[in-house]
Amino acid sequence: MAQTKKIPATVITGFLGAGKTSTIQHLLKTAGGRKLALIINEFGDLGVDSDIVKGCNIEGCNDEDVLELANGCICCTVADDFIPTIEKLLNRETPPDHIIIETSGLALPKPLVKAFNWPEIRTRVTVDGVITLVDGRAVADGLFASNPQAIEAQRAADDNLDHESPLEELFEEQLGCADMVVINKLDLLEEGDMDRVLEAVRKEIRPEVKIVKISHGEIDASVLLGLEAAAEDDLDSRHSHHDDGHEHDHDDFESFAVEFGEIADPEALIAKLLPIVAKHEILRVKGFVAVAGKDMRLVVQGVGSRFQQYYDQEWSDAAVRRSRLVVIGDHDMDEAAIRAEMTA
């Protein structure tokens, strides 16, 4: 049957650890019978997010509907990776009702939105909305919010701090392209924290953008889907630091996977990871761990000093029981030292 109207696509973006995967899982639970296809782009060489979604055991979430883009940042591999993947979905005998795209935490959303104007797909799919997730706790702590006094004090002590940090610029890029901002981890905020978060967010978003506050990624599909923003037709209003044509790269960040055998105590593992993360200023740790005596794999996700762990599914018969964690941080991380400390 010929496609008579554009298929909506929702772009879910947000910095590392903002809660994109948890939000997508809840979205799947509340899809209301809609056939969703997921495109998941990760930074790093281990498909943790896609594996978590595939292991969610949510009715209607089939492995063939979860596609992973693992050849680099989605905003940098549009022609080679993203467009062919979208075409593959559109050309299915039964196309999806809605496409959900989870970007890497280090991706710029605007180049991705621009890709929906490519001739191959522009008459067949539209950007229903760009949803930017914000880690409320991180922003309340001032990690990505401008603080002129603090910056000036740091500059006085360090001549290298004469420009915005790459992390702050990414935060601004993701907010500047948003049609809706979802402030996540409300449960971790204390009195007065939200005022600082809202101040940091509102100065980067367009006036019409709505802000929603949630915990644990729990927001229904009825809220996220159906915005009808047609974002690809509204690019000029979405500010980007890269509108001047400067190339975007990820030379400031790198990732690597650390493998080790079964562990006896998950709490001991977290206690071991915490000082390593602090010492080497690691941004993100995520992966799967084999626990002795447990049939299920343990999901471990860390954002700075905050770690989450839970068992998600049994190890398959074909899977080798092994622990594998992806480490993401600045380009000058001491990989050898981190590997040695994590596997000691």
Side-chain angles (χ1 to χ4, degrees):
M1 181 180 295
Q3 186 177 320
T4 58
K5 65 176 184 178
K6 292 184 178 182
I7 293 175
T10 294
V11 177
I12 298 181
T13 188
F15 192 66
L16 297 164
K20 297 186 293 296
T21 303
S22 298
T23 300
I24 287 175
Q25 286 182 310
H26 193 76
L27 188 155
L28 290 169
K29 293 177 183 177
T30 60
R34 278 178 281 203
K35 181 176 175 57
L36 304 181
L38 307 176
I39 298 175
I40 297 177
N41 177 226
E42 299 197 59
F43 189 85
D45 60 356
L46 174 60
V48 176
D49 293 350
S50 58
D51 277 356
I52 291 175
V53 172
K54 288 178 180 178
C56 65
N57 297 317
I58 297 172
E59 185 178 355
C61 177
N62 303 310
D63 284 1
E64 62 268 22
D65 293 324
V66 181
L67 289 76
E68 182 184 0
L69 300 185
N71 294 328
C73 171
I74 195 171
C75 67
C76 302
T77 60
V78 166
D80 296 332
D81 211 3
F82 175 67
I83 296 297
T85 300
I86 285 286
E87 287 186 292
K88 184 186 299 183
L89 288 175
L90 298 177
N91 292 334
R92 286 184 174 180
E93 184 175 347
T94 305
D97 298 322
H98 204 114
I99 299 170
I100 310 296
I101 303 163
E102 177 194 344
T103 73
S104 151
L106 300 177
L108 304 179
K110 188 168 180 178
L112 177 59
V113 174
K114 285 182 179 179
F116 283 83
N117 281 316
W118 281 52
E120 295 93 329
I121 64 172
R122 66 185 178 191
T123 62
R124 306 173 66 190
V125 63
T126 181
V127 181
D128 182 69
V130 177
I131 310 295
T132 297
L133 259 73
V134 171
D135 182 332
R137 180 67 266 159
V139 176
D141 290 339
L143 296 182
F144 311 121
S146 297
N147 184 329
Q149 291 77 20
I151 290 174
E152 287 305 318
Q154 288 176 327
R155 282 177 178 163
D158 186 347
D159 291 338
N160 291 324
L161 291 176
D162 60 356
H163 55 80
E164 289 182 309
S165 73
L167 303 189
E168 184 174 359
E169 183 175 301
L170 280 165
F171 179 69
E172 294 168 359
E173 292 279 341
Q174 292 167 351
L175 289 173
C177 196
D179 294 294
M180 178 183 289
V181 173
V182 178
I183 298 175
N184 195 19
K185 307 187 182 181
L186 191 62
D187 55 306
L188 300 181
L189 298 183
E190 300 175 358
E191 184 177 355
D193 287 342
M194 183 55 72
D195 291 339
R196 293 196 298 277
V197 177
L198 290 174
E199 180 183 4
V201 167
R202 282 176 174 152
K203 67 181 181 181
E204 302 298 341
I205 63 176
R206 295 169 296 151
E208 67 272 19
V209 172
K210 301 298 182 185
I211 299 175
V212 182
K213 307 164 191 174
I214 65 170
S215 298
H216 308 294
E218 295 180 353
I219 181 169
D220 288 1
S222 60
V223 178
L224 293 183
L225 308 186
L227 300 184
E228 299 183 351
E232 71 276 14
D233 296 330
D234 185 31
L235 289 168
D236 289 344
S237 73
R238 300 166 193 265
H239 169 72
S240 170
H241 292 279
H242 301 270
D243 286 337
D244 58 4
H246 290 173
E247 291 296 321
H248 166 58
D249 61 59
H250 295 306
D251 290 342
D252 293 303
F253 310 100
E254 65 181 39
S255 70
F256 56 89
V258 179
E259 296 189 14
F260 47 96
E262 290 187 340
I263 66 166
D265 182 0
E267 295 300 330
L269 173 65
I270 301 303
K272 179 179 181 178
L273 291 174
L274 283 171
I276 298 173
V277 167
K279 176 182 177 181
H280 297 281
E281 299 183 340
I282 294 169
L283 297 174
R284 188 87 158 92
V285 176
K286 59 180 181 178
F288 304 104
V289 174
V291 181
K294 295 289 186 180
D295 293 331
M296 302 185 77
R297 69 183 185 182
L298 183 71
V299 177
V300 174
Q301 300 197 68
V303 183
S305 62
R306 301 196 312 274
F307 274 84
Q308 176 189 28
Q309 53 173 304
Y310 59 90
Y311 294 98
D312 74 329
Q313 67 175 14
E314 290 189 359
W315 292 94
S316 67
D317 293 338
V320 176
R321 286 177 60 94
R322 63 178 180 178
S323 302
R324 197 162 188 245
L325 296 177
V326 165
V327 177
I328 303 174
D330 290 337
H331 70 93
D332 57 355
M333 282 190 301
D334 189 339
E335 179 178 341
I338 294 170
R339 285 185 181 278
E341 291 169 26
M342 289 181 69
T343 56

